[in-house]
């Protein structure tokens, strides 16, 4: 069964309610790319009237994590996934609708193939960039995912 934006959004409602309640929604996913949007609202703002950094982080992490989940499912293997590290850069106030995109599905596929082939844990750094409605980058998140084939 394929992972779809609708299924991911339902998953958020039940498994990650903080992300769902703050408006994080997947809009697109395929083999190479995942897109998540979140609109600045009262429930997800900071005292400076812009989007709280953690809400941006949830949206950004979902773009990378959804790609990892999709490739794990397609591998047919029992593989664990966990964020080991992350880095973030904020370059502009996040207001309006922010769109986060990860374009690194190929890196995920390669890491999973290597984990399955070598039976050793692998790490992969994935980047998600958040842009506002004018196409201006407001934040950039990097997540280090660890992948390990379970016995």
């Amino acid at each position: 069964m394929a992972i779809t934006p609708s299924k991911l959004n339902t998953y958020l409602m039940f498994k990650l309610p903080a992300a769902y309640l703050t408006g994080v929604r997947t809009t697109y996913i395929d083999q190479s790319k995942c897109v998540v949007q979140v609109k600045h609202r009262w429930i997800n703002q900071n005292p400076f009237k812009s989007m709280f950094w953690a809400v941006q982080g949830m949206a950004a992490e979902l773009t990378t994590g959804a790609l990892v989940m999709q490739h794990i499912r397609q591998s047919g293997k029992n593989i664990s996934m966990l964020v080991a590290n992350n880095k973030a850069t904020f370059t502009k106030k996040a207001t309006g609708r922010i769109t986060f995109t990860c374009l690194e599905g190929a890196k995920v596929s390669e890491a999973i193939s290597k984990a399955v082939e070598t039976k050793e844990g692998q790490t992969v750094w994935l980047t998600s960039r958040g842009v506002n409605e004018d196409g201006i980058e407001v934040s950039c998140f990097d997540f280090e995912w660890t992948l390990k084939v379970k016995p």
Side-chain angles (χ1 to χ4, degrees):
M1 179 172 17
I3 293 177
T4 65
S6 175
K7 289 177 185 173
L8 281 172
N9 293 333
T10 301
Y11 176 83
L12 285 182
M13 186 169 37
F14 293 106
K15 299 293 185 180
L16 297 166
Y20 188 83
L21 291 172
T22 56
V24 174
R25 299 293 185 274
T26 307
T27 59
Y28 181 84
I29 186 167
D30 67 14
Q31 292 298 308
S32 60
K33 169 176 146 178
C34 184
V35 180
V36 171
Q37 292 185 336
V38 60
K39 186 175 181 184
H40 172 241
R41 302 182 306 167
W42 172 83
I43 197 162
N44 64 24
Q45 74 179 350
N46 61 29
F48 310 106
K49 303 237 189 297
S50 63
M51 193 178 299
F52 185 51
W53 70 268
V55 175
Q56 294 179 64
M58 287 189 289
E61 183 183 357
L62 182 58
T63 64
T64 62
L67 283 173
V68 173
M69 289 180 350
Q70 175 146 298
H71 284 274
I72 287 173
R73 178 171 283 190
Q74 290 173 345
S75 76
K77 303 293 182 187
N78 190 9
I79 300 173
S80 65
M81 57 187 275
L82 181 68
V83 172
N85 288 294
N86 77 304
K87 299 181 285 186
T89 305
F90 303 91
T91 51
K92 186 165 177 57
K93 259 184 145 173
T95 58
R97 186 175 306 278
I98 308 300
T99 302
F100 289 88
T101 307
C102 179
L103 302 169
E104 299 180 319
K107 286 173 74 174
V108 176
S109 181
E110 183 179 316
I112 288 174
S113 294
K114 193 170 181 181
V116 169
E117 180 183 311
T118 65
K119 304 281 192 258
E120 294 177 2
Q122 300 295 313
T123 63
V124 60
W125 280 93
L126 302 175
T127 299
S128 181
R129 299 186 184 284
V131 298
N132 64 16
E133 294 158 309
D134 296 327
I136 298 169
E137 185 173 304
V138 299
S139 58
C140 178
F141 287 80
D142 295 299
F143 295 94
E144 182 186 29
W145 286 95
T146 61
L147 306 167
K148 186 174 181 184
V149 178
K150 295 180 185 177

